[in-house]
Amino acid sequence: MTRDDQQPATTVRLTVAQAVVRFLANQWSERDGQRQKLFAGCFGIFGHGNVAGIGQALLQSELAHSHDSDQHLPYVLARNEQAMVHTAVGYARQKDRLQTWACTASIGPGSTNMLTGAALATINRIPVLLLPSGTFATRVSAPVLQELEQPHAGDVTVNDAFRPLSKFFDRVSRPEQLPSALLGAMRVLTDPAETGAVTIALPQDVQAEAFDWPVELFAPRVWRVARPLPEAVDIADAAEIIRSAKRPLVVAGGGVHYSGAEDALRAFCEATGIPVGESQAGKGSLPHGHPQEMGAVGSTGTTAANALAAEADVVIGIGTRWSDFTTASRTAFQDTDVRFVNVNVARFDAGKHAGLSVVADAREALTALTTALEGYAVDDAYRERQAALWAEWDAAVESAFHPPADVTDRLAEGLLTQAQVLGAVNELTDPRDVVLCAAGSMPGDIHKLWRVRDRKAYHVEYGYSCMGYEVPASIGIRLADDSRDVFAMVGDGGYLMMPTELVTAVQERVKVVVVLVQNHGFHSIGSLSESLGSQRFGTAYRFRDAASGRLDGDVLPVDLAANARSLGAHVIEVHSVDELHQAIKEAKAWPADGGPVVIHVETDPRVYAPDSAAWWDVPVSQVSQLESTQAAYGEYLEHKSTQRPLLAPPSADH
């Protein structure tokens, strides 16, 4: 044997797909000295485009490394490509964005089905890696099945639709391009300020192409998730503004959770007495019962948080992107001299509403602000107002959870109110159990009513408010932490969008509890339609009446309980409060590896949760022959007149 023969190999021959799988299995993230695999696995549906590429590579990896967790990239079969992205998002959010999944799909519709999931991930700032397959890079067989042809551009494919939806996009047309694409993708996935959907498009012939790769590409690689420290001058300026405030208010967003800043926020509030209102993503930043916890703020807010928001002279945003629901379409903050201090890891969000930008990790900024504000606290009168407002709201919640006889007597036999259902689940589940929702009327009700008792127990996707998110995302949450039961609250409209992932939960023996609220239509949009003068048109699941020609006939004979049962779920049908309580207890006792449980309950959509009288800006037709629309437009103009530009520069003497 020669000396050269004894030298270790400097390259390894793999296909592009095999190289992708091996690389992903060796990526790690680290924060505060804690290290974890960046990718828990790969979701996928195979077809032409990825079955002989990523599919073959995943098979080869499973056969070779199934007993080596450091080298193995597990594969989970999904039923819908959009759904598998939702599952990855649910997992990544539950892991505070420190871990995620990759998603592989076949060419054409298989890949474009992931577009909605990509938009959801990017809007919510959640990392997920998408691997859409493409047509032949060589074009030798063009046009192939499912290929988009554009006469003006030969290099355009349907995968270009991912560009505006992704925080990073690359197409690997040659093996040599893969290393830079992979490294660029990891950089964005692990950047708390830039993260979102990351897309690497892989043409099907390139996936199967062999290449001699440098062995260094597959060495274990650790990506440190940074905690940017605030600038001292920004903390000093922020402290000066806050010290000048008589009625300050914190608005806590998702950044509080992602940075693990709950304890720092609690210390800040207890030292200063400043109350906290929460966005959807920030719900649970303080636990229910804390004296400074005022609950949801904005369009779906509590009367307590919104009353304080209307009076606030300084608003401190912590990790919020200031959506229109959080600001009640810029009507929530009515003090003429209100100023904003925005703490955010992303400069883009920190600069909103002309606020003082403190670009930093939420935990680090709150710790620094608490020190800088030593000796400052709101007066006793303001603390007493917080307590009085909260007691009033808490009593309203209690009445909604346990409605008086004058409400229940109006319900048809077997029907419950939606608030009763939420109250039963909230009260009978464990503090660490997770409630999940995304679209319809329930996100607003849950935002207002839910009593959060654990930092990771609340999961409502309201950045994209995507119908169909609930079932697949519940699987992701359970995969992320199987010590918690997950209760996915979904209406019949949302359920019909994406019930198929129940089959994935059955196959993987993942226990999730889906509380399916049947109200025979789009409850939320029906209510919105009515408020805009459109009379709930086209929002009910009813037959078309032969005489009127309208969709106002009998209720459709759709049996969603039977549908869930046919997909392999254990189904419990309830028709009373007592039966609902028993169903929740049965679901809690269901085996951890028993697969999904569906609790089917019918509710009356005409009974609403307590209202906070906040507004959401949805335009109304300016001219109409309908009196209902004319009246709605008059109300719209009244609300519109209360909108604020929120442009005043921040300063202590403003």
Side-chain angles (χ1 to χ4, degrees), residues 226-257:
R227 286 192 181 276
L229 298 176
E231 293 283 347
V233 65
D234 292 335
I235 291 295
D237 287 349
E240 185 180 7
I241 293 173
I242 296 169
R243 282 183 180 278
S244 72
K246 302 296 184 184
R247 302 174 303 280
L249 173 71
V250 165
V251 173
V256 173
H257 291 309

PDB file of all heavy atoms in Angstrom, residues 226-257:
ATOM      1  N   ALA A 226     -28.416  34.087  17.987  1.00  0.00           N
ATOM      2  CA  ALA A 226     -27.877  35.209  18.745  1.00  0.00           C
ATOM      3  C   ALA A 226     -28.927  35.859  19.643  1.00  0.00           C
ATOM      4  O   ALA A 226     -30.137  35.774  19.398  1.00  0.00           O
ATOM      5  CB  ALA A 226     -27.309  36.249  17.792  1.00  0.00           C
ATOM      6  N   ARG A 227     -28.433  36.509  20.677  1.00  0.00           N
ATOM      7  CA  ARG A 227     -29.236  37.396  21.518  1.00  0.00           C
ATOM      8  C   ARG A 227     -28.640  38.804  21.398  1.00  0.00           C
ATOM      9  O   ARG A 227     -27.808  39.204  22.210  1.00  0.00           O
ATOM     10  CB  ARG A 227     -29.199  36.941  22.975  1.00  0.00           C
ATOM     11  CG  ARG A 227     -30.006  35.704  23.285  1.00  0.00           C
ATOM     12  CD  ARG A 227     -30.140  35.534  24.792  1.00  0.00           C
ATOM     13  NE  ARG A 227     -30.884  34.353  25.169  1.00  0.00           N
ATOM     14  CZ  ARG A 227     -32.209  34.272  25.232  1.00  0.00           C
ATOM     15  NH1 ARG A 227     -32.926  35.326  24.902  1.00  0.00           N
ATOM     16  NH2 ARG A 227     -32.813  33.159  25.592  1.00  0.00           N
ATOM     17  N   PRO A 228     -29.043  39.568  20.395  1.00  0.00           N
ATOM     18  CA  PRO A 228     -28.459  40.904  20.223  1.00  0.00           C
ATOM     19  C   PRO A 228     -28.703  41.780  21.449  1.00  0.00           C
ATOM     20  O   PRO A 228     -29.821  41.875  21.958  1.00  0.00           O
ATOM     21  CB  PRO A 228     -29.200  41.457  19.002  1.00  0.00           C
ATOM     22  CG  PRO A 228     -29.733  40.252  18.294  1.00  0.00           C
ATOM     23  CD  PRO A 228     -30.027  39.250  19.350  1.00  0.00           C
ATOM     24  N   LEU A 229     -27.654  42.409  21.918  1.00  0.00           N
ATOM     25  CA  LEU A 229     -27.757  43.290  23.083  1.00  0.00           C
ATOM     26  C   LEU A 229     -28.208  44.682  22.646  1.00  0.00           C
ATOM     27  O   LEU A 229     -27.857  45.154  21.561  1.00  0.00           O
ATOM     28  CB  LEU A 229     -26.410  43.385  23.790  1.00  0.00           C
ATOM     29  CG  LEU A 229     -25.860  42.074  24.358  1.00  0.00           C
ATOM     30  CD1 LEU A 229     -24.475  42.304  24.944  1.00  0.00           C
ATOM     31  CD2 LEU A 229     -26.806  41.517  25.414  1.00  0.00           C
ATOM     32  N   PRO A 230     -28.976  45.375  23.490  1.00  0.00           N
ATOM     33  CA  PRO A 230     -29.411  46.723  23.128  1.00  0.00           C
ATOM     34  C   PRO A 230     -28.275  47.724  23.252  1.00  0.00           C
ATOM     35  O   PRO A 230     -27.356  47.554  24.055  1.00  0.00           O
ATOM     36  CB  PRO A 230     -30.509  47.011  24.158  1.00  0.00           C
ATOM     37  CG  PRO A 230     -30.122  46.196  25.353  1.00  0.00           C
ATOM     38  CD  PRO A 230     -29.492  44.942  24.799  1.00  0.00           C
ATOM     39  N   GLU A 231     -28.359  48.755  22.457  1.00  0.00           N
ATOM     40  CA  GLU A 231     -27.425  49.869  22.586  1.00  0.00           C
ATOM     41  C   GLU A 231     -27.724  50.611  23.894  1.00  0.00           C
ATOM     42  O   GLU A 231     -28.883  50.866  24.238  1.00  0.00           O
ATOM     43  CB  GLU A 231     -27.568  50.828  21.410  1.00  0.00           C
ATOM     44  CG  GLU A 231     -27.149  50.249  20.070  1.00  0.00           C
ATOM     45  CD  GLU A 231     -25.648  50.200  19.908  1.00  0.00           C
ATOM     46  OE1 GLU A 231     -24.940  50.844  20.719  1.00  0.00           O
ATOM     47  OE2 GLU A 231     -25.179  49.521  18.982  1.00  0.00           O
ATOM     48  N   ALA A 232     -26.679  50.969  24.625  1.00  0.00           N
ATOM     49  CA  ALA A 232     -26.860  51.658  25.908  1.00  0.00           C
ATOM     50  C   ALA A 232     -27.630  52.960  25.746  1.00  0.00           C
ATOM     51  O   ALA A 232     -28.480  53.306  26.587  1.00  0.00           O
ATOM     52  CB  ALA A 232     -25.495  51.922  26.549  1.00  0.00           C
ATOM     53  N   VAL A 233     -27.373  53.683  24.651  1.00  0.00           N
ATOM     54  CA  VAL A 233     -28.055  54.961  24.443  1.00  0.00           C
ATOM     55  C   VAL A 233     -29.539  54.743  24.187  1.00  0.00           C
ATOM     56  O   VAL A 233     -30.380  55.550  24.603  1.00  0.00           O
ATOM     57  CB  VAL A 233     -27.401  55.740  23.279  1.00  0.00           C
ATOM     58  CG1 VAL A 233     -27.568  55.004  21.949  1.00  0.00           C
ATOM     59  CG2 VAL A 233     -27.961  57.159  23.181  1.00  0.00           C
ATOM     60  N   ASP A 234     -29.903  53.640  23.528  1.00  0.00           N
ATOM     61  CA  ASP A 234     -31.320  53.351  23.289  1.00  0.00           C
ATOM     62  C   ASP A 234     -32.038  53.013  24.591  1.00  0.00           C
ATOM     63  O   ASP A 234     -33.183  53.434  24.817  1.00  0.00           O
ATOM     64  CB  ASP A 234     -31.467  52.196  22.298  1.00  0.00           C
ATOM     65  CG  ASP A 234     -31.008  52.559  20.898  1.00  0.00           C
ATOM     66  OD1 ASP A 234     -31.029  53.762  20.569  1.00  0.00           O
ATOM     67  OD2 ASP A 234     -30.632  51.650  20.133  1.00  0.00           O
ATOM     68  N   ILE A 235     -31.377  52.256  25.449  1.00  0.00           N
ATOM     69  CA  ILE A 235     -31.969  51.936  26.748  1.00  0.00           C
ATOM     70  C   ILE A 235     -32.143  53.206  27.580  1.00  0.00           C
ATOM     71  O   ILE A 235     -33.186  53.404  28.240  1.00  0.00           O
ATOM     72  CB  ILE A 235     -31.109  50.908  27.504  1.00  0.00           C
ATOM     73  CG1 ILE A 235     -31.176  49.547  26.803  1.00  0.00           C
ATOM     74  CG2 ILE A 235     -31.539  50.783  28.954  1.00  0.00           C
ATOM     75  CD1 ILE A 235     -32.545  48.911  26.811  1.00  0.00           C
ATOM     76  N   ALA A 236     -31.153  54.067  27.546  1.00  0.00           N
ATOM     77  CA  ALA A 236     -31.241  55.319  28.304  1.00  0.00           C
ATOM     78  C   ALA A 236     -32.395  56.184  27.799  1.00  0.00           C
ATOM     79  O   ALA A 236     -33.167  56.749  28.594  1.00  0.00           O
ATOM     80  CB  ALA A 236     -29.920  56.079  28.208  1.00  0.00           C
ATOM     81  N   ASP A 237     -32.524  56.292  26.470  1.00  0.00           N
ATOM     82  CA  ASP A 237     -33.620  57.089  25.901  1.00  0.00           C
ATOM     83  C   ASP A 237     -34.974  56.463  26.218  1.00  0.00           C
ATOM     84  O   ASP A 237     -35.944  57.169  26.539  1.00  0.00           O
ATOM     85  CB  ASP A 237     -33.445  57.222  24.388  1.00  0.00           C
ATOM     86  CG  ASP A 237     -32.309  58.160  24.010  1.00  0.00           C
ATOM     87  OD1 ASP A 237     -31.804  58.868  24.903  1.00  0.00           O
ATOM     88  OD2 ASP A 237     -31.932  58.172  22.820  1.00  0.00           O
ATOM     89  N   ALA A 238     -35.051  55.138  26.115  1.00  0.00           N
ATOM     90  CA  ALA A 238     -36.310  54.459  26.417  1.00  0.00           C
ATOM     91  C   ALA A 238     -36.695  54.657  27.876  1.00  0.00           C
ATOM     92  O   ALA A 238     -37.864  54.928  28.200  1.00  0.00           O
ATOM     93  CB  ALA A 238     -36.186  52.968  26.093  1.00  0.00           C
ATOM     94  N   ALA A 239     -35.720  54.532  28.764  1.00  0.00           N
ATOM     95  CA  ALA A 239     -35.997  54.709  30.191  1.00  0.00           C
ATOM     96  C   ALA A 239     -36.478  56.129  30.482  1.00  0.00           C
ATOM     97  O   ALA A 239     -37.383  56.335  31.310  1.00  0.00           O
ATOM     98  CB  ALA A 239     -34.748  54.387  31.009  1.00  0.00           C
ATOM     99  N   GLU A 240     -35.895  57.105  29.792  1.00  0.00           N
ATOM    100  CA  GLU A 240     -36.308  58.496  30.007  1.00  0.00           C
ATOM    101  C   GLU A 240     -37.759  58.698  29.583  1.00  0.00           C
ATOM    102  O   GLU A 240     -38.541  59.367  30.282  1.00  0.00           O
ATOM    103  CB  GLU A 240     -35.394  59.436  29.229  1.00  0.00           C
ATOM    104  CG  GLU A 240     -35.691  60.913  29.490  1.00  0.00           C
ATOM    105  CD  GLU A 240     -34.776  61.842  28.704  1.00  0.00           C
ATOM    106  OE1 GLU A 240     -34.002  61.349  27.860  1.00  0.00           O
ATOM    107  OE2 GLU A 240     -34.866  63.068  28.932  1.00  0.00           O
ATOM    108  N   ILE A 241     -38.138  58.126  28.447  1.00  0.00           N
ATOM    109  CA  ILE A 241     -39.523  58.247  27.983  1.00  0.00           C
ATOM    110  C   ILE A 241     -40.478  57.561  28.950  1.00  0.00           C
ATOM    111  O   ILE A 241     -41.523  58.099  29.315  1.00  0.00           O
ATOM    112  CB  ILE A 241     -39.658  57.656  26.563  1.00  0.00           C
ATOM    113  CG1 ILE A 241     -38.890  58.514  25.555  1.00  0.00           C
ATOM    114  CG2 ILE A 241     -41.123  57.540  26.160  1.00  0.00           C
ATOM    115  CD1 ILE A 241     -38.822  57.915  24.166  1.00  0.00           C
ATOM    116  N   ILE A 242     -40.117  56.365  29.393  1.00  0.00           N
ATOM    117  CA  ILE A 242     -40.995  55.617  30.300  1.00  0.00           C
ATOM    118  C   ILE A 242     -41.124  56.334  31.641  1.00  0.00           C
ATOM    119  O   ILE A 242     -42.212  56.394  32.232  1.00  0.00           O
ATOM    120  CB  ILE A 242     -40.475  54.180  30.479  1.00  0.00           C
ATOM    121  CG1 ILE A 242     -40.526  53.428  29.141  1.00  0.00           C
ATOM    122  CG2 ILE A 242     -41.294  53.435  31.527  1.00  0.00           C
ATOM    123  CD1 ILE A 242     -39.798  52.103  29.151  1.00  0.00           C
ATOM    124  N   ARG A 243     -40.036  56.907  32.135  1.00  0.00           N
ATOM    125  CA  ARG A 243     -40.095  57.633  33.414  1.00  0.00           C
ATOM    126  C   ARG A 243     -41.047  58.829  33.341  1.00  0.00           C
ATOM    127  O   ARG A 243     -41.627  59.242  34.351  1.00  0.00           O
ATOM    128  CB  ARG A 243     -38.699  58.118  33.809  1.00  0.00           C
ATOM    129  CG  ARG A 243     -37.800  57.035  34.391  1.00  0.00           C
ATOM    130  CD  ARG A 243     -36.459  57.612  34.827  1.00  0.00           C
ATOM    131  NE  ARG A 243     -35.574  56.585  35.383  1.00  0.00           N
ATOM    132  CZ  ARG A 243     -35.625  56.142  36.633  1.00  0.00           C
ATOM    133  NH1 ARG A 243     -36.524  56.685  37.480  1.00  0.00           N
ATOM    134  NH2 ARG A 243     -34.793  55.219  37.055  1.00  0.00           N
ATOM    135  N   SER A 244     -41.214  59.385  32.163  1.00  0.00           N
ATOM    136  CA  SER A 244     -42.103  60.541  32.016  1.00  0.00           C
ATOM    137  C   SER A 244     -43.571  60.140  31.944  1.00  0.00           C
ATOM    138  O   SER A 244     -44.453  61.003  31.965  1.00  0.00           O
ATOM    139  CB  SER A 244     -41.731  61.319  30.745  1.00  0.00           C
ATOM    140  OG  SER A 244     -42.110  60.586  29.582  1.00  0.00           O
ATOM    141  N   ALA A 245     -43.845  58.824  31.860  1.00  0.00           N
ATOM    142  CA  ALA A 245     -45.210  58.348  31.650  1.00  0.00           C
ATOM    143  C   ALA A 245     -45.994  58.279  32.948  1.00  0.00           C
ATOM    144  O   ALA A 245     -45.471  57.920  34.001  1.00  0.00           O
ATOM    145  CB  ALA A 245     -45.180  56.967  30.990  1.00  0.00           C
ATOM    146  N   LYS A 246     -47.278  58.604  32.851  1.00  0.00           N
ATOM    147  CA  LYS A 246     -48.213  58.432  33.963  1.00  0.00           C
ATOM    148  C   LYS A 246     -49.060  57.172  33.771  1.00  0.00           C
ATOM    149  O   LYS A 246     -49.497  56.555  34.746  1.00  0.00           O
ATOM    150  CB  LYS A 246     -49.138  59.652  34.070  1.00  0.00           C
ATOM    151  CG  LYS A 246     -48.410  60.976  34.269  1.00  0.00           C
ATOM    152  CD  LYS A 246     -47.655  60.995  35.594  1.00  0.00           C
ATOM    153  CE  LYS A 246     -47.010  62.370  35.822  1.00  0.00           C
ATOM    154  NZ  LYS A 246     -46.191  62.381  37.062  1.00  0.00           N
ATOM    155  N   ARG A 247     -49.298  56.829  32.504  1.00  0.00           N
ATOM    156  CA  ARG A 247     -50.174  55.696  32.191  1.00  0.00           C
ATOM    157  C   ARG A 247     -49.516  54.792  31.141  1.00  0.00           C
ATOM    158  O   ARG A 247     -50.021  54.638  30.032  1.00  0.00           O
ATOM    159  CB  ARG A 247     -51.523  56.193  31.686  1.00  0.00           C
ATOM    160  CG  ARG A 247     -52.267  57.097  32.663  1.00  0.00           C
ATOM    161  CD  ARG A 247     -53.534  57.671  32.047  1.00  0.00           C
ATOM    162  NE  ARG A 247     -53.244  58.426  30.812  1.00  0.00           N
ATOM    163  CZ  ARG A 247     -52.788  59.669  30.778  1.00  0.00           C
ATOM    164  NH1 ARG A 247     -52.554  60.331  31.914  1.00  0.00           N
ATOM    165  NH2 ARG A 247     -52.554  60.257  29.617  1.00  0.00           N
ATOM    166  N   PRO A 248     -48.356  54.223  31.452  1.00  0.00           N
ATOM    167  CA  PRO A 248     -47.671  53.375  30.468  1.00  0.00           C
ATOM    168  C   PRO A 248     -48.363  52.020  30.316  1.00  0.00           C
ATOM    169  O   PRO A 248     -49.065  51.555  31.227  1.00  0.00           O
ATOM    170  CB  PRO A 248     -46.271  53.222  31.065  1.00  0.00           C
ATOM    171  CG  PRO A 248     -46.501  53.323  32.546  1.00  0.00           C
ATOM    172  CD  PRO A 248     -47.615  54.321  32.726  1.00  0.00           C
ATOM    173  N   LEU A 249     -48.156  51.394  29.176  1.00  0.00           N
ATOM    174  CA  LEU A 249     -48.725  50.072  28.891  1.00  0.00           C
ATOM    175  C   LEU A 249     -47.726  49.276  28.067  1.00  0.00           C
ATOM    176  O   LEU A 249     -47.165  49.791  27.095  1.00  0.00           O
ATOM    177  CB  LEU A 249     -50.035  50.200  28.113  1.00  0.00           C
ATOM    178  CG  LEU A 249     -50.667  48.892  27.605  1.00  0.00           C
ATOM    179  CD1 LEU A 249     -51.230  48.079  28.775  1.00  0.00           C
ATOM    180  CD2 LEU A 249     -51.763  49.190  26.578  1.00  0.00           C
ATOM    181  N   VAL A 250     -47.489  48.032  28.447  1.00  0.00           N
ATOM    182  CA  VAL A 250     -46.697  47.109  27.636  1.00  0.00           C
ATOM    183  C   VAL A 250     -47.627  46.341  26.718  1.00  0.00           C
ATOM    184  O   VAL A 250     -48.701  45.891  27.142  1.00  0.00           O
ATOM    185  CB  VAL A 250     -45.904  46.122  28.523  1.00  0.00           C
ATOM    186  CG1 VAL A 250     -45.374  44.951  27.693  1.00  0.00           C
ATOM    187  CG2 VAL A 250     -44.761  46.823  29.230  1.00  0.00           C
ATOM    188  N   VAL A 251     -47.238  46.190  25.466  1.00  0.00           N
ATOM    189  CA  VAL A 251     -47.908  45.263  24.549  1.00  0.00           C
ATOM    190  C   VAL A 251     -46.909  44.158  24.235  1.00  0.00           C
ATOM    191  O   VAL A 251     -45.876  44.401  23.601  1.00  0.00           O
ATOM    192  CB  VAL A 251     -48.386  45.961  23.266  1.00  0.00           C
ATOM    193  CG1 VAL A 251     -48.925  44.923  22.275  1.00  0.00           C
ATOM    194  CG2 VAL A 251     -49.461  46.991  23.592  1.00  0.00           C
ATOM    195  N   ALA A 252     -47.197  42.958  24.724  1.00  0.00           N
ATOM    196  CA  ALA A 252     -46.284  41.825  24.574  1.00  0.00           C
ATOM    197  C   ALA A 252     -46.644  41.037  23.333  1.00  0.00           C
ATOM    198  O   ALA A 252     -47.796  40.637  23.145  1.00  0.00           O
ATOM    199  CB  ALA A 252     -46.358  40.927  25.814  1.00  0.00           C
ATOM    200  N   GLY A 253     -45.643  40.793  22.488  1.00  0.00           N
ATOM    201  CA  GLY A 253     -45.836  40.014  21.274  1.00  0.00           C
ATOM    202  C   GLY A 253     -45.100  38.689  21.327  1.00  0.00           C
ATOM    203  O   GLY A 253     -44.543  38.296  22.364  1.00  0.00           O
ATOM    204  N   GLY A 254     -45.060  38.014  20.201  1.00  0.00           N
ATOM    205  CA  GLY A 254     -44.445  36.693  20.138  1.00  0.00           C
ATOM    206  C   GLY A 254     -42.977  36.689  20.488  1.00  0.00           C
ATOM    207  O   GLY A 254     -42.443  35.666  20.933  1.00  0.00           O
ATOM    208  N   GLY A 255     -42.308  37.814  20.296  1.00  0.00           N
ATOM    209  CA  GLY A 255     -40.892  37.880  20.630  1.00  0.00           C
ATOM    210  C   GLY A 255     -40.598  37.609  22.086  1.00  0.00           C
ATOM    211  O   GLY A 255     -39.495  37.174  22.435  1.00  0.00           O
ATOM    212  N   VAL A 256     -41.566  37.861  22.971  1.00  0.00           N
ATOM    213  CA  VAL A 256     -41.375  37.543  24.391  1.00  0.00           C
ATOM    214  C   VAL A 256     -41.181  36.039  24.553  1.00  0.00           C
ATOM    215  O   VAL A 256     -40.282  35.577  25.272  1.00  0.00           O
ATOM    216  CB  VAL A 256     -42.576  38.035  25.223  1.00  0.00           C
ATOM    217  CG1 VAL A 256     -42.457  37.551  26.669  1.00  0.00           C
ATOM    218  CG2 VAL A 256     -42.676  39.551  25.177  1.00  0.00           C
ATOM    219  N   HIS A 257     -42.013  35.257  23.873  1.00  0.00           N
ATOM    220  CA  HIS A 257     -41.911  33.800  23.976  1.00  0.00           C
ATOM    221  C   HIS A 257     -40.661  33.265  23.285  1.00  0.00           C
ATOM    222  O   HIS A 257     -39.955  32.410  23.822  1.00  0.00           O
ATOM    223  CB  HIS A 257     -43.149  33.149  23.373  1.00  0.00           C
ATOM    224  CG  HIS A 257     -44.399  33.382  24.161  1.00  0.00           C
ATOM    225  ND1 HIS A 257     -44.482  33.142  25.512  1.00  0.00           N
ATOM    226  CD2 HIS A 257     -45.624  33.834  23.779  1.00  0.00           C
ATOM    227  CE1 HIS A 257     -45.706  33.431  25.936  1.00  0.00           C
ATOM    228  NE2 HIS A 257     -46.415  33.856  24.907  1.00  0.00           N
TER     229      HIS A 257
END
